[in-house]
């Protein structure tokens, strides 16, 4: 325990007088040696309660939030109050800690503006109280709880342009592709054998009579092709600054892509590699909300991309979606993932994130060679190399092979 | 700066009290007490040097001056005189004994209390100033409380000490009692 300067000073005086008094057998000196301790023995206590706590704004990264907390304090002493903020919050205006000399009653108001710099679910419910001796000799630490929570989401960067090349189809963008499964429409596709579960209204009686076994009409299903976003959340994705790293950029891209495809009527699914979190492809704003909330909660985990593929292999075979894999291929080595998917006639788009790498020239060259070799093994997939510092708006404007 | 001025004033008052006591103590026999007022120069010098005007060394000097009377009641002092007597410095021992004996049982508790209280106030004020500035708090309230507490201690502490039982101040007996209860509780809890 660190002894305060004022306490040390007064105790030293007391000991000096006591020692002197004992040496000289002086009652007076011994008696006055207690005086400095009397200053330290002044009782102090402050009881506090929250009057109100308000929080507004700060729903998205970089958006300012305004907090106001009023406490009512009764007692005697110096009260220091701090509303604890998570690491990823930047104070813009005011202070999240205040102090007041309480003598009787006092109102303490904390008012500040801050900016969340990272997405996530934050509990801002902790108020730390330090009740100091009136002469700052001692302190007691306590805490109060308030009902304040904040969900900080990625700011939705709307993708304005996704390049579709004319001629030989290089991009697998599914804007015009139709869904593999879904509600059957009215466009006839083919006649096929009956399988258990097919509705009786689709039975083609003429064909059944001709073939001597149940045959059903197959119609084109409504809706567009499904898109399944695979976001890599392995530890190597967190290299860089805590507020802007590969994972944060990946989340931003996944969020933007989910919005882009959902707003165009596609079914969009999500798989967070690292935790094995699966959100099955679906349409609509609710699905976007689900994806967005899942992305907001995403933290680092450990799982290989191959394991992720194995986990949802069956579903991928049913949906035949476009897979968008957001990763760092030089670490995740997704060549087996890509080849397995291609074998199952599933298109894969790999978004390879890149950032500034520090080191000497030789190390950088070596790293680049490794990256290129990882890219070569992915030549069957569509590959986009994306700098994490670049704005996501222009994502996919440039397709690399 | 406010605290520096306050401490300067407190130091000067303490010098005045200490020298006043010295004038009526055996010290006046040995030293012309008028010269002791030169000590009053020390606080401004400390202030100019950027130090606390009422520093610990000054307090020690003032206590030494003020507690000359204390020797008159000190058994250790008289045993030293006996030792001098035994060692052959008989006249010196006898002279000193006759000088100090005149001041025996002349307690100056309130004077010593005043000096200690003034020093404590100066120390607390000096040490809390920066901390309060860090906390963006006005120093007025703590200083007012400090003044009241200091005055109360100076006023009531000698009175409390004067209440005695079995020849000892009741306050000390109380403190010893509390300490014994705590020790007993600890011993009982630990066995």
């Amino acid at each position: 325990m660190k002894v305060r300067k004022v306490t040390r000073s007064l105790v030293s005086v007391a000991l000096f007088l006591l020692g002197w008094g004992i040496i000289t057998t002086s009652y007076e000196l011994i008696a006055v040696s207690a005086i400095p301790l009397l200053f330290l023995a002044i009782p102090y206590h402050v009881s506090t309660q929250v009057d109100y706590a308000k929080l507004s704004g700060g729903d998205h990264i970089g958006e300012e939030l305004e907090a106001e907390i009023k406490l009512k304090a009764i007692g005697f002493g110096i009260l220091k109050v701090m509303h604890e903020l998570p690491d990823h919050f930047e104070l813009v205006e005011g202070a999240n800690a205040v102090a007041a000399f309480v003598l009787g009653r006092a109102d303490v108001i904390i008012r500040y503006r801050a900016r969340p710099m990272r997405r996530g679910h934050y509990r801002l419910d902790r108020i730390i109280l330090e009740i100091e001796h009136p002469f700052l000799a001692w302190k007691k630490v306590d805490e109060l709880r308030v009902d304040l929570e904040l969900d900080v989401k990625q700011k939705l960067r709307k993708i304005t342009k996704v390049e579709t090349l004319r001629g030989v189809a290089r991009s697998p963008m599914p804007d015009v592709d139709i869904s593999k499964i879904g509600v059957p429409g009215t466009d006839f596709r083919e006649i096929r054998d009956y399988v258990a579960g097919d509705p009786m209204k689709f039975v083609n009686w003429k064909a059944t009579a001709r073939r001597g076994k149940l045959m059903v009409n197959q119609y084109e299903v409504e809706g567009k092709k499904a898109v399944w976003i695979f976001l890599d959340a392995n530890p190597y994705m967190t290299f860089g600054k805590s507020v802007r790293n590969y994972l944060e950029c990946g989340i931003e891209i996944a969020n933007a892509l989910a919005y882009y495809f959902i707003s165009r009527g596609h079914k969009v699914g999500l798989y967070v590699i690292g935790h094995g979190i699966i959100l099955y492809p679906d349409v609509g704003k609710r699905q976007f909300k689900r994806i967005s909330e899942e992305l907001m909660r995403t933290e680092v985990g450990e799982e290989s991309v191959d394991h992720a593929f194995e986990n949802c292999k069956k579903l991928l075979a049913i949906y035949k979606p476009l897979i968008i894999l957001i990763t760092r291929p030089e670490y995740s080595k997704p060549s087996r993932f890509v080849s397995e998917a291609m074998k199952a006639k599933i298109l894969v788009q790999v978004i390879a994130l890149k950032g500034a790498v520090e080191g000497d020239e030789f190390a950088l060259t070596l790293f680049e060679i490794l990256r290129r070799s990882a890219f070569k093994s992915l030549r069957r997939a569509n590959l986009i190399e994306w700098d994490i510092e670049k704005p996501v708006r222009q994502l996919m404007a440039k397709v690399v092979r | 700066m406010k605290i520096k001025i306050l401490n300067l004033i407190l130091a000067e008052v303490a010098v005045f009290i200490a020298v006043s006591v010295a004038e009526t103590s055996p010290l006046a026999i040995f030293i012309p007490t008028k010269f002791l007022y030169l000590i009053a120069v020390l606080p401004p010098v400390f202030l100019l040097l950027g130090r606390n005007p009422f520093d610990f060394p000054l307090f020690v000097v003032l206590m030494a001056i003020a507690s000359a009377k204390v020797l008159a009641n000190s058994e250790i002092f008289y045993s030293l005189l006996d030792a001098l007597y035994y060692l052959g410095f008989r006249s010196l021992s006898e002279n000193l004994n006759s000088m100090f004996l005149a001041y025996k049982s002349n307690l100056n508790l309130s004077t010593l209390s005043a000096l200690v209280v003034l020093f404590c106030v100066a120390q607390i004020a000096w040490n809390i100033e920066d901390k309060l500035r860090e906390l963006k708090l006005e120093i007025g309230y703590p200083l007012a409380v400090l003044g009241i507490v200091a005055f109360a201690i100076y006023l009531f502490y000698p009175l409390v000490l004067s209440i005695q039982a079995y020849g000892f101040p009741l306050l000390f007996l109380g403190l010893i009692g509390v300490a014994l209860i705590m020790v007993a509780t600890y011993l009982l809890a630990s066995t």
Side-chain angles (χ1 to χ4, degrees):
Chain A
M1 196 183 89
K2 200 181 167 193
V3 180
R4 297 282 183 85
K5 213 173 158 188
V6 64
T7 314
R8 197 172 57 233
S9 157
L10 292 179
V11 170
S12 312
V13 173
L15 290 175
F16 164 74
L17 291 172
L18 184 68
W20 195 359
I22 289 169
I23 290 167
T24 56
T25 59
S26 164
Y27 164 71
E28 291 146 298
L29 286 172
I30 292 171
V32 294
S33 73
I35 290 176
L37 304 180
L38 291 177
F39 281 95
L40 297 177
I42 302 291
Y44 65 103
H45 177 74
V46 179
S47 66
T48 43
Q49 64 180 68
V50 180
D51 194 18
Y52 65 80
K54 290 190 289 191
L55 200 65
S56 58
D59 296 330
H60 294 98
I61 293 174
E63 190 182 303
E64 276 184 24
L65 68 91
E66 198 171 339
E68 189 175 319
I69 299 165
K70 187 180 173 188
L71 302 175
K72 281 190 179 295
I74 301 171
F76 174 54
I78 292 170
L79 177 68
K80 288 200 281 183
V81 187
M82 187 180 80
H83 185 215
E84 198 179 52
L85 279 178
D87 291 343
H88 305 296
F89 277 60
E90 197 180 85
L91 211 59
V92 179
E93 196 186 308
N96 62 330
V98 289
F101 190 87
V102 181
L103 187 64
R105 282 170 181 274
D107 289 338
V108 183
I109 299 173
I110 304 173
R111 198 180 288 129
Y112 65 89
R113 291 164 80 88
R115 195 180 285 143
M117 301 306 285
R118 193 171 182 265
R119 87 277 93 77
H121 175 79
Y122 295 100
R123 291 183 67 82
L124 304 170
D125 60 342
R126 198 158 169 247
I127 296 175
I128 299 168
L129 303 171
E130 277 186 15
I131 301 149
E132 296 256 10
H133 186 271
F135 310 139
L136 301 168
W138 328 97
K139 70 171 177 185
K140 290 185 271 192
V141 180
D142 202 355
E143 68 173 58
L144 275 178
R145 295 278 170 181
V146 283
D147 191 21
L148 288 180
E149 286 183 19
L150 186 68
D151 281 337
V152 180
K153 292 176 192 159
Q154 282 282 351
K155 219 169 197 169
L156 187 62
R157 312 275 181 202
K158 287 182 186 166
I159 299 170
T160 51
K161 185 182 174 189
V162 174
E163 183 151 308
T164 47
L165 300 173
R166 288 171 189 279
V168 182
R170 291 174 70 200
S171 167
M173 284 302 118
D175 263 6
V176 291
D177 288 1
I178 50 166
S179 176
K180 189 78 180 168
I181 60 165
V183 181
T186 51
D187 295 343
F188 177 76
R189 189 197 282 176
E190 60 179 349
I191 297 173
R192 60 166 175 82
D193 288 352
Y194 172 86
V195 287
D198 278 340
M200 290 305 286
K201 66 176 181 179
F202 290 159
V203 174
N204 187 323
W205 295 108
K206 280 182 185 171
T208 303
R210 226 176 6 248
R211 292 274 186 97
K213 58 176 178 177
L214 274 175
M215 301 296 285
V216 289
N217 291 339
Q218 173 85 53
Y219 297 94
E220 294 288 4
V221 289
E222 284 179 353
K224 291 183 182 175
K225 194 177 179 72
V227 178
W228 205 321
I229 301 166
F230 280 71
L231 173 68
D232 192 352
N234 274 291
Y236 48 77
M237 295 292 284
T238 55
F239 292 171
K241 289 175 246 168
S242 63
V243 290
R244 186 69 185 172
N245 54 35
Y246 295 91
L247 182 62
E248 295 305 317
C249 178
I251 287 168
E252 198 179 323
I253 291 172
N255 202 31
L257 284 174
Y259 182 79
Y260 177 81
F261 287 118
I262 281 176
S263 62
R264 279 162 179 75
H266 292 275
K267 286 179 179 168
V268 179
L270 176 75
Y271 189 105
V272 181
I273 308 171
H275 297 282
I277 295 164
I278 304 175
L279 288 180
Y280 300 117
D282 205 346
V283 288
K285 279 185 179 173
R286 273 176 103 181
Q287 175 69 354
F288 174 69
K289 203 178 164 206
R290 272 197 289 269
I291 291 174
S292 197
E293 278 172 3
E294 197 51 60
L295 289 170
M296 188 190 73
R297 285 193 290 267
T298 299
E299 291 297 335
V300 173
E302 277 190 46
E303 188 186 8
S304 70
V305 287
D306 296 340
H307 184 262
F309 185 79
E310 287 299 322
N311 256 359
C312 45
K313 202 175 180 178
K314 281 182 187 169
L315 287 164
L316 290 171
I318 297 167
Y319 285 102
K320 298 269 184 206
L322 160 69
I323 293 176
I324 299 177
L325 173 62
I326 304 164
T327 185
R328 299 181 72 189
E330 64 272 25
Y331 287 98
S332 58
K333 310 248 182 304
S335 55
R336 205 179 133 228
F337 179 105
V338 170
S339 63
E340 290 275 321
M342 297 301 242
K343 225 184 273 175
K345 294 187 177 163
I346 300 167
L347 293 169
V348 182
Q349 174 89 59
V350 179
I351 298 175
L353 300 177
K354 70 167 184 179
V357 185
E358 286 180 10
D360 58 45
E361 207 176 323
F362 177 71
L364 289 176
T365 314
L366 205 62
F367 186 73
E368 197 52 35
I369 291 166
L370 283 173
R371 272 174 63 82
R372 288 293 146 197
S373 82
F375 288 177
K376 261 187 187 172
S377 67
L378 301 174
R379 60 183 174 274
R380 290 181 67 199
N382 247 50
L383 184 72
I384 295 171
E385 203 178 358
W386 192 254
D387 191 333
I388 60 167
E389 297 299 335
K390 268 186 171 177
V392 181
R393 283 177 80 87
Q394 294 298 314
L395 182 74
M396 295 179 186
K398 188 186 165 195
V399 180
V400 292
R401 281 272 182 188
Chain B
M1 196 63 197
K2 282 178 197 167
I3 297 300
K4 282 182 181 171
I5 303 293
L6 174 78
N7 280 11
L8 181 70
I9 296 165
L10 292 175
E12 295 298 350
V13 172
V15 169
F16 178 75
I17 292 170
V19 176
S20 307
V21 174
E23 279 173 344
T24 59
S25 76
L27 198 68
I29 302 166
F30 303 104
I31 307 167
T33 47
K34 299 283 178 218
F35 289 117
L36 290 175
Y37 281 109
L38 286 174
I39 297 168
V41 181
L42 286 177
V45 171
F46 285 160
L47 183 68
L48 289 174
L49 292 173
R51 290 174 59 181
N52 182 359
F54 201 171
D55 221 350
F56 188 70
L58 178 66
F59 172 70
V60 174
V61 170
L62 295 183
M63 283 302 287
I65 294 168
S67 60
K69 270 187 184 176
V70 166
L71 292 178
N73 294 304
S74 169
E75 289 304 323
I76 297 281
F77 177 70
Y78 289 111
S79 64
L80 284 173
L81 293 185
D82 289 343
L84 283 175
Y85 188 86
Y86 178 75
L87 291 169
F89 303 100
R90 290 185 179 185
S91 57
L92 176 67
S93 171
E94 279 171 358
N95 282 339
L96 284 173
N97 187 41
S98 61
M99 280 178 212
F100 278 84
L101 216 53
Y103 296 94
K104 202 169 183 181
S105 71
N106 189 359
L107 294 174
N108 61 340
L109 191 62
S110 63
T111 319
L112 290 180
S113 296
L115 284 177
V116 176
V117 165
L118 288 175
F119 180 66
C120 287
V121 170
Q123 283 295 299
I124 292 169
W126 183 259
N127 284 314
I128 65 171
E129 190 191 19
D130 289 343
K131 195 91 178 152
L132 288 173
R133 199 180 297 129
E134 268 175 38
L135 296 173
K136 291 175 186 163
L137 282 178
E138 284 292 317
I139 201 160
Y141 276 122
L143 273 190
V145 172
L146 182 62
I148 292 164
V149 169
F151 185 68
I153 290 172
Y154 173 69
L155 207 65
F156 296 112
Y157 185 63
L159 280 178
V160 172
L161 282 184
S162 67
I163 306 167
Q164 295 199 340
Y166 308 109
F168 294 101
L170 207 57
L171 179 74
F172 285 171
L173 291 179
L175 287 174
I176 291 166
V178 170
L180 285 176
I181 287 169
M182 286 170 81
V183 170
T185 311
Y186 173 74
L187 289 174
L188 283 169
S190 61
T191 51

